[in-house]
Amino acid sequence: MIDEVKKEIRLAIDELNSHSLYKDLNNIDDVRQFMESHVFAVWDFMSLLKALQIQLTCVSNVWIPVKDTVSARFINEIVHGEETDINEEGIAKSHFEMYLDAMNEVGADTTKIKAFIRFLEQGVSVQQALNLIEVAPAVKEFVNYTFALIEEGSLHKLAAAFTFGREDVIPEMFLEIVKETKKQDQKVYRKLIYYLERHIELDGDEHGPLALQMIQNLCGSDSQKWNEVLEVSKQAIDKRINLWSGIQTVLV
């Protein structure tokens, strides 16, 4: 069934991967502006990941064996790589923190995302925090959609958004832009290059296949769950397309 889902969403993925935004990302200045909005999607992904871990594994003080140890192992493997990976200096960091470091390295503005995190640390809701920092409507819509799924708590739907709502083109494209920038002015964006290469390595070789297997385990032979996975997958990709379009409008 997973092959059927991939077949059904192929056109939507092709639309995402051929978005006209990519043609507007031509230099490191464009990358900076893109990252200032995209960082919210990086954070959003981490939240989706933790929502899955909470449901699939035991995270309470009193440990109780979980029913689906195979899916629990899958999600723990992904959490290990995303939340506590090793950066280019051999220091344990989440991919979100590595992305922030890369933003600082290229001179992107981290003011809004840092203010957002501070509000969350103070107990402000995600929706309120987004309003307080006045992010672009497309960013707000994207994050709010994810948290609507998190609040609903349907495991297979969360897994669908987690697996199919990603961007596959951006890492390779950023690498080309960064390499071209290096040729022009000899600047070295070590942190950004490492993050992008690590992103490509983990998603392609490890996390992508694990996520697909997780959906397979969660849905089994339940046709209704598979239909809902297909529906959410399409929605998640549409939200990503809308996010790209919203980011595109702020590029100068």
Side-chain angles (χ1 to χ4, degrees), residues 72-87:
R73 179 176 175 83
F74 289 152
I75 204 65
N76 278 336
E77 289 280 351
I78 298 174
V79 168
H80 173 72
E82 296 286 344
E83 191 175 37
T84 54
D85 202 3
I86 301 298
N87 73 359

Side-chain angles (χ1 to χ4, degrees), residues 17-249:
N17 288 344
S18 61
H19 197 287
S20 57
L21 165 69
Y22 303 133
K23 296 178 181 178
D24 290 340
L25 296 175
N26 299 309
N27 53 56
I28 204 68
D29 289 331
D30 296 331
V31 168
R32 288 190 191 101
Q33 285 190 292
F34 177 89
M35 293 179 80
E36 288 165 12
S37 293
H38 181 240
V39 65
F40 287 91
V42 176
W43 172 84
D44 171 282
F45 175 81
M46 297 298 297
S47 299
L48 195 53
L49 173 61
K50 297 306 287 186
L52 283 165
Q53 187 186 33
I54 288 169
Q55 290 209 49
L56 286 170
T57 69
C58 180
V59 292
S60 64
N61 289 330
V62 179
W63 184 82
I64 299 173
V66 296
K67 295 179 181 179
D68 184 356
T69 53
V70 175
S71 292
R73 179 176 175 83
F74 289 152
I75 204 65
N76 278 336
E77 289 280 351
I78 298 174
V79 168
H80 173 72
E82 296 286 344
E83 191 175 37
T84 54
D85 202 3
I86 301 298
N87 73 359
E88 78 289 349
E89 297 175 352
I91 300 171
K93 283 196 174 185
S94 69
H95 281 198
F96 172 76
E97 292 166 302
M98 289 163 63
Y99 196 88
L100 284 182
D101 288 344
M103 288 180 70
N104 287 326
E105 182 184 57
V106 302
D109 187 0
T110 60
T111 303
K112 287 189 176 182
I113 186 63
K114 287 182 177 178
F116 176 68
I117 296 298
R118 284 197 299 272
F119 282 129
L120 297 180
E121 290 171 341
Q122 294 165 12
V124 176
S125 72
V126 170
Q127 188 174 22
Q128 288 177 316
L130 290 172
N131 290 333
L132 287 169
I133 59 172
E134 299 181 350
V135 294
V139 172
K140 188 183 299 185
E141 180 185 351
F142 184 85
V143 174
N144 283 338
Y145 172 75
T146 296
F147 274 83
L149 287 176
I150 290 174
E151 288 173 10
E152 181 183 343
S154 177
L155 261 174
H156 59 288
K157 291 182 180 181
L158 289 171
F162 177 85
T163 303
F164 296 113
R166 308 191 204 185
E167 69 280 14
D168 295 326
V169 175
I170 283 295
E172 289 89 346
M173 177 162 297
F174 271 23
L175 278 174
E176 291 304 314
I177 294 172
V178 172
K179 288 176 182 176
E180 188 61 33
T181 299
K182 185 178 178 181
K183 290 178 186 177
Q184 294 172 9
D185 60 17
Q186 297 302 307
K187 287 185 179 179
V188 178
Y189 297 112
R190 188 166 54 102
K191 294 181 183 296
L192 179 56
I193 291 174
Y194 180 88
Y195 172 87
L196 295 171
E197 290 179 339
R198 188 66 175 148
H199 185 91
I200 293 168
E201 177 186 1
L202 286 177
D203 278 4
D205 297 339
E206 298 179 30
H207 295 176
L210 285 175
L212 292 173
Q213 186 61 54
M214 177 176 61
I215 292 178
Q216 189 77 50
N217 286 355
L218 291 173
C219 293
S221 59
D222 190 323
S223 59
Q224 181 177 342
K225 285 185 177 180
W226 280 112
N227 287 335
E228 290 173 347
V229 161
L230 177 58
E231 180 183 5
V232 170
S233 298
K234 289 179 177 178
Q235 290 174 353
I237 295 168
D238 285 342
K239 294 299 180 184
R240 179 72 64 171
I241 291 171
N242 291 341
L243 177 63
W244 279 187
S245 298
I247 293 175
Q248 189 175 25
T249 62

